[in-house]
Amino acid sequence: MPSAIRMGVLGCASIALRRVLPAMKEAEGIELTAVASRDPAKAREVAGRFGCGAAGGYGELLDRPDVDAVYIPLPTGLHADWASRALSAGKHVLAEKPLTGDHATALGLVDQARKAGLLLMENYMFLHHSQHETVRKLIADGRIGELRVFSASFGIPPLDAADWRYRPELGGGALLDVGVYPIRAASHFLGAELDVVGSVLRTDPARGVDLAGHALLCTPSGVTVELSFGFEHSYRSCYSLWGDRARLTLERAFTPPPSRRPVVRIESQDRTEELTLPADHQFKNIAESFARSILRGADYAAQAEAIVHQTRLVDMVRSSARGATA
């Protein structure tokens, strides 16, 4: 059995250069083998920075026999196509979130990966930070009582006007870029039986993409889920679980730096308690989890189910949305 997965990278996006590739260099079980770009000079520059090879293009990287798996940090609208090509080339795939913006495409990709015996995984890195497991334990221990409401927000300031996230043909829009985080967090804590009650998407008619949104979901037992997201906000990244005894809140829930020690706040009627947790490196953790799953021959079914469930909810938020104009 090999000791490391030989990883290729399709694209030189900012998230890859700032976060993921440095984490992969630190991670156990991953050997960063090659990087590809539309610009060969860019690929050579990045390869020199991270001590790996450079491929002449995305297709050339997929043809390399010394690459076992690929990481895809391309714009959202390109994820599905290149994930399918990678699976056809016999490569495991770690794709930036979301893998795709629609449920039907997700079903096809999951089926393709299953038939090929390959791991297909979305890079929801925040799920691999230990702070969320601590929150789970606190809820299970009854610290907030019976859960009544889950709420989550992820908002960022306006992007550069030339950013691809403002281009619909590249899969732009707030729902697919930041909205998917609160949706995925809701599933993480409340399971697969969530239903979308209604939503609002605020759209820029000139650009043709949604800039902000809100969604209301619920569980069969009546737990309410309130989600907010957007590109036209002061920065916010948090969730809270409100029970009949107390409310638990976690700030910087989706994007904590590796050096940050998270603080969980539990507020009841007469008392506020703050628990400071250990720092953790979610980018390194997900890279190691991806490699470990392949090296140990793990069952990939849970990853497939998560992809399918997430795209179902995203489709429902989009299809149920009332429009608002920016």
Side-chain angles (χ1 to χ4, degrees):
M1 182 179 294
S3 60
I5 295 301
R6 298 170 298 179
M7 182 72 72
V9 180
L10 293 180
C12 300
S14 175
I15 185 67
L17 303 186
R18 291 184 297 107
R19 302 295 187 193
V20 180
L21 296 192
M24 286 183 176
K25 291 294 290 185
E26 293 182 38
E28 294 183 8
I30 285 189
E31 177 186 332
L32 192 56
T33 301
V35 62
S37 171
R38 292 176 300 170
D39 178 356
K42 178 70 170 179
R44 290 192 295 272
E45 186 270 323
V46 172
R49 193 189 318 177
F50 290 99
C52 63
Y58 302 152
E60 181 180 306
L61 187 143
L62 294 181
D63 289 338
R64 289 180 63 140
D66 61 345
V67 170
D68 304 310
V70 295
Y71 164 57
I72 304 177
L74 299 169
T76 294
L78 304 179
H79 291 174
D81 180 46
W82 282 105
S84 181
R85 295 191 197 192
L87 293 169
S88 295
K91 315 299 184 186
H92 302 278
V93 174
L94 174 63
E96 267 309 323
K97 55 79 215 161
L99 172 64
T100 174
D102 73 275
H103 187 57
T105 301
L107 288 172
L109 288 169
V110 163
D111 187 57
Q112 183 182 359
R114 180 186 58 79
K115 290 177 178 176
L118 296 167
L119 174 57
L120 177 62
M121 186 175 182
E122 285 181 293
N123 193 28
Y124 282 106
M125 63 284 174
F126 78 92
L127 297 175
H128 294 260
H129 195 294
S130 57
Q131 61 185 351
H132 308 297
E133 185 58 31
T134 298
V135 170
R136 274 185 182 274
K137 291 177 180 176
L138 290 167
I139 302 304
D141 290 343
R143 295 296 299 274
I144 68 167
E146 194 73 23
L147 179 62
R148 302 300 189 208
V149 180
F150 176 88
S151 58
S153 300
F154 194 11
I156 60 176
L159 303 160
D160 184 278
D163 196 287
W164 68 263
R165 292 166 183 83
Y166 291 129
R167 295 176 59 184
E169 73 275 14
L170 292 179
L175 172 61
L176 293 183
D177 193 60
V178 290
V180 291
Y181 284 89
I183 294 171
R184 189 67 183 85
S187 297
H188 181 68
F189 287 104
L190 298 173
E193 294 189 330
L194 283 168
D195 191 20
V196 176
V197 177
S199 60
V200 175
L201 291 177
R202 179 178 169 86
T203 301
D204 181 342
R207 293 180 169 125
V209 298
D210 53 288
L211 302 180
H214 308 270
L216 180 67
L217 297 81
C218 69
T219 69
S221 64
V223 176
T224 303
V225 177
E226 305 166 338
L227 309 178
S228 301
F229 51 89
F231 286 159
E232 48 184 16
H233 303 65
S234 62
Y235 181 83
R236 193 175 188 198
S237 168
C238 67
Y239 64 66
S240 67
L241 297 105
W242 186 7
D244 60 0
R245 290 176 50 197
R247 185 182 187 201
L248 182 152
T249 302
L250 179 67
E251 300 287 344
R252 293 300 294 268
F254 306 121
T255 57
S259 59
R260 179 182 175 88
R261 297 194 65 190
V263 176
V264 173
R265 181 179 299 107
I266 303 175
E267 300 171 277
S268 58
Q269 183 170 339
D270 302 312
R271 182 185 179 196
T272 297
E273 180 181 5
E274 291 189 343
L275 307 175
T276 301
L277 309 181
D280 201 7
H281 197 333
Q282 60 190 33
F283 290 95
K284 179 171 176 283
N285 291 348
I286 193 171
E288 291 182 342
S289 175
F290 178 75
R292 208 164 43 240
S293 295
I294 298 168
L295 292 169
R296 296 180 182 177
D299 184 354
Y300 303 150
Q303 292 298 329
E305 290 171 7
I307 290 169
V308 169
H309 176 62
Q310 174 74 359
T311 53
R312 180 183 71 85
L313 290 177
V314 170
D315 260 8
M316 291 173 69
V317 169
R318 184 189 294 112
S319 64
S320 67
R322 293 186 59 181
T325 302

